[in-house]
Amino acid sequence: MNCVQSHDLLQRRLDGEAIPNRAALDQHLNNCPECRHLHAAAGSFEEGLRLLTIPVAPKGLTAAIVGQVMADRRARQRRRRWVAVAALAAGVLVAVFVARESLSTTQSVRVIAGKAVERPAVAEGPPSLAGSLFDVGEAVAGLTRRTATETVGQTRLLIPDAPPLTGPDSVGPMLDPPAQSLKQAGQGVAVALDPVTSSAKRAFSMFIREPSGTEKQ
Amino acid sequence: MSADEAALVQRCLRGEGPAIQALVERFQAEVFGLCVRLLNHRHDAEDVVQEVFLRVFRSLRRWDSSRPLKPWIMGITVNRCRTWISQRVRRPELADYLQETAADAPADDSAELLHEIHAALSELRPEYRSVFVLFHEHGQPYEEIAEALDRPVGTIKTWLHRARIEVLDRLRRRGMVTELPQP
């Protein structure tokens, strides 16, 4: 027997198995101090294992654990309910958003086309989503049209009637005040320049008369 | 897995309080014992045991009913202890097994031997310690330990053999060996 086989037998001994060929092992232990010390330590090891006891749990630990588990279970159930409600709400919001988007798209198409849109033909049977959406669209469009008409009528009642425009002549009086101001300004300038123009006329007349007088002398 | 275990689990899944209590009582001692050995601290062990059972009941639906329940629960226990150890890096590890030894101290030298065994256990790597405790203290076979730790049986055997050699070396170094008679 060698040291490897001796170690293998040691492990089998500590596994609780019976050791085969005990005489060969004893012979090896007599000749190998290292293996002899190891097997001797195994004796103390087995004695120490017998002294080992599983630690005892404190009183009240079971109740604490069960209470915590039950509380955790309730909390998780509440959380699951909230998640379900939130998911439902999110689904409704998405459905409303999609419906509104499809309605606005339908109305735009109708306005651009400028002609009436007939309800799409729906097969007999349970109401389809497309049919329901069309009905909702028609209802919203009618309501919007009625509201707009009523608003225009009420606004007309609030604003007084203005005199109708008669034609291009009516533009003159409207522009009269600024034209009058320009005319008055022109007259003012002419009056202010009158002495200057008179002096200039007199000087020019004297200049004409002077040569002719000289010629007479 | 026994039909009894399957029925108990089904009742737990329905939220029956007595069934939950029965399952806790059935495995609490072993879970607590393993936690004390792996953490070397009774108060930490109490906290971790509660975490372990929370995990067990949260994931009970995922348990494979064709396999025994105990290795599955012990696997969760080892994982929680490992996580706890990695999270308490800054906290000193209080080896309060000394108090346990003092309280149960026998009259002879066996108290010292028991102390050395505990000290040797606390020096083992966590995976070696898990295997050692599950095999020698809880009496679990290699196959169940392998299932609990999700490792091959060969790896479990290797870990246990190395753990034993380390404990034997410590006992030799501390003079806790009665020499075999010289030929």
Side-chain angles (χ1 to χ4, degrees):
Chain A
M1 182 172 287
N2 55 32
C3 292
V4 174
Q5 290 170 321
S6 167
H7 283 200
D8 182 52
L9 287 179
L10 174 71
Q11 295 291 351
R12 291 176 69 169
R13 171 186 169 184
L14 296 178
D15 278 347
E17 296 177 17
I19 297 178
N21 201 2
R22 178 80 208 194
L25 174 65
D26 287 340
Q27 191 179 358
H28 175 75
L29 294 182
N30 289 337
N31 299 324
C32 177
E34 182 64 27
C35 286
R36 188 167 61 245
H37 286 134
L38 206 57
H39 277 261
S44 301
F45 179 89
E46 287 172 321
E47 189 184 338
L49 289 182
R50 279 192 291 274
L51 295 171
L52 274 179
T53 52
I54 294 180
V56 180
K59 289 178 181 173
L61 185 60
T62 307
I65 293 170
V66 171
Q68 203 173 13
V69 167
M70 296 299 279
D72 181 64
R73 189 180 169 83
R74 282 192 293 271
R76 286 161 63 84
Q77 280 175 343
R78 273 198 301 273
R79 209 160 37 237
R80 270 199 293 271
R81 271 190 221 116
W82 274 111
V83 168
V85 168
L88 184 65
V92 168
L93 280 176
V94 168
V96 167
F97 178 75
V98 169
R100 288 188 60 182
E101 284 297 309
S102 77
L103 280 177
S104 63
T105 307
T106 308
Q107 283 178 344
S108 303
V109 169
R110 288 169 60 191
V111 167
I112 292 168
K115 52 185 178 184
V117 179
E118 290 186 2
R119 190 182 193 283
V122 179
E124 291 295 327
S128 67
L129 179 62
S132 303
L133 284 176
F134 184 85
D135 290 341
V136 172
E138 285 296 303
V140 173
L143 185 63
T144 308
R145 208 178 300 121
R146 204 178 96 197
T147 307
T149 309
E150 287 175 357
T151 307
V152 169
Q154 288 170 357
T155 309
R156 277 185 181 151
L157 289 175
L158 292 173
I159 301 173
D161 287 341
L165 297 177
T166 53
D169 294 343
S170 62
V171 177
M174 287 176 69
L175 297 176
D176 192 46
Q180 291 291 339
S181 299
L182 283 172
K183 193 176 178 182
Q184 287 170 357
Q187 287 173 352
V189 171
V191 168
L193 292 176
D194 188 55
V196 178
T197 50
S198 300
S199 301
K201 281 178 183 174
R202 265 200 308 275
F204 185 72
S205 300
M206 285 172 68
F207 177 74
I208 296 295
R209 246 182 277 134
E210 241 351 275
S212 61
T214 307
E215 285 176 0
K216 284 178 186 177
Q217 288 175 359
Chain B
M1 186 207 65
S2 66
D4 173 44
E5 268 185 358
L8 183 63
V9 168
Q10 285 304 317
R11 288 174 57 208
C12 288
L13 288 175
R14 287 197 294 270
E16 293 181 23
I20 290 173
Q21 178 155 357
L23 194 141
V24 171
E25 284 174 347
R26 183 176 293 189
F27 296 105
Q28 175 193 286
E30 288 181 272
V31 170
F32 180 75
L34 183 57
C35 287
V36 170
R37 290 286 178 254
L38 297 186
L39 302 172
N40 281 337
H41 198 279
R42 287 183 68 88
H43 291 299
D44 284 357
E46 288 175 26
D47 292 340
V48 174
V49 167
Q50 298 191 30
E51 282 187 18
V52 167
F53 279 104
L54 278 180
R55 294 266 169 170
V56 165
F57 284 103
R58 280 178 188 172
S59 48
L60 206 51
R61 284 185 195 283
R62 292 197 294 271
W63 167 61
D64 181 359
S65 59
S66 65
R67 292 167 179 269
L69 192 55
K70 185 176 166 184
W72 183 70
I73 292 179
M74 298 312 256
I76 292 176
T77 306
V78 171
N79 283 335
R80 291 312 303 162
C81 287
R82 199 181 298 159
T83 305
W84 186 273
I85 289 169
S86 67
Q87 286 173 347
R88 73 172 182 191
V89 175
R90 302 188 67 179
R91 278 185 290 168
E93 189 171 315
L94 301 174
D96 60 358
Y97 58 77
L98 295 175
Q99 298 169 6
E100 179 192 323
T101 304
D104 306 331
D108 53 17
D109 291 341
S110 51
E112 193 180 351
L113 176 60
L114 190 59
H115 166 72
E116 291 299 335
I117 294 276
H118 281 303
L121 277 180
S122 68
E123 288 179 357
L124 292 175
R125 285 165 51 174
E127 58 268 30
Y128 289 6
R129 202 188 313 168
S130 305
V131 175
F132 188 98
V133 171
L134 286 171
F135 186 91
H136 285 299
E137 206 168 14
H138 295 260
Q140 287 199 265
Y142 283 123
E143 291 74 18
E144 284 193 7
I145 298 173
E147 195 166 337
L149 302 187
D150 198 21
R151 290 286 191 282
V153 173
T155 303
I156 299 301
K157 281 186 178 177
T158 304
W159 286 356
L160 182 60
H161 293 182
R162 289 177 184 167
R164 284 169 177 165
I165 294 296
E166 286 187 28
V167 174
L168 290 172
D169 277 345
R170 181 182 172 97
L171 292 179
R172 284 172 62 190
R173 278 187 278 113
R174 304 289 293 176
M176 303 302 298
V177 176
T178 306
E179 288 295 327
L180 293 175
Q182 197 75 9

